[in-house]
Amino acid sequence: GQEGFVFPELREGSPDHVEALREKPSFAVCLSGGGFRATTCALGVMKALHALDLLKKVRYLSSNSGGSWFNTCFSYKNEVPVDTFLGPYIPPEDLTSEALVEHAEGSYAKVIDDASVLKT
């Protein structure tokens, strides 16, 4: 960013100040648009960051269109723990047809699977 510039939420004394953000590095995740594919991709990206223990370091999460479908649910979830919401990581060698359709209650994968227009 601009030298000397401080985001309002990081400015001491600002009404928009959020102390918890000061403890995090300047690390942002941007989720792209693209409808149903984008929201599925966003889930995968966030699941990978969580599995690598990097998700807790994210200061900002930005999105548009299909990425925002995920971002809205993720950012405003209150009752579902992150592990449940994101679901387990499944290594490629363990992927099966059965594993791809088994989703825990409260997981975003279940939400998008239940909403899929491809279901028969």
Side-chain angles (χ1 to χ4, degrees), residues 61-81:
L61 181 58
S62 172
S63 61
N64 72 324
S65 193
S68 293
W69 299 349
F70 174 87
N71 188 1
T72 301
C73 296
F74 182 76
S75 296
Y76 291 97
K77 66 173 184 44
N78 288 325
E79 298 176 18
V80 180

Side-chain angles (χ1 to χ4, degrees), residues 46-68:
M46 297 297 279
K47 190 181 289 196
L49 289 172
H50 185 60
L52 294 169
D53 207 27
L54 294 173
L55 189 55
K56 64 184 177 189
K57 296 181 179 187
V58 174
R59 184 183 282 181
Y60 298 104
L61 181 58
S62 172
S63 61
N64 72 324
S65 193
S68 293

Side-chain angles (χ1 to χ4, degrees), residues 85-100:
F85 184 82
L86 295 176
Y89 170 75
I90 304 171
E93 62 272 11
D94 294 339
L95 284 176
T96 63
S97 297
E98 294 79 24
L100 291 173

Side-chain angles (χ1 to χ4, degrees), residues 7 9-10 21 25-30 57-62:
F7 287 102
E9 61 273 16
L10 299 175
L21 289 178
S26 291
F27 176 43
V29 173
C30 303
K57 296 181 179 187
V58 174
R59 184 183 282 181
Y60 298 104
L61 181 58
S62 172

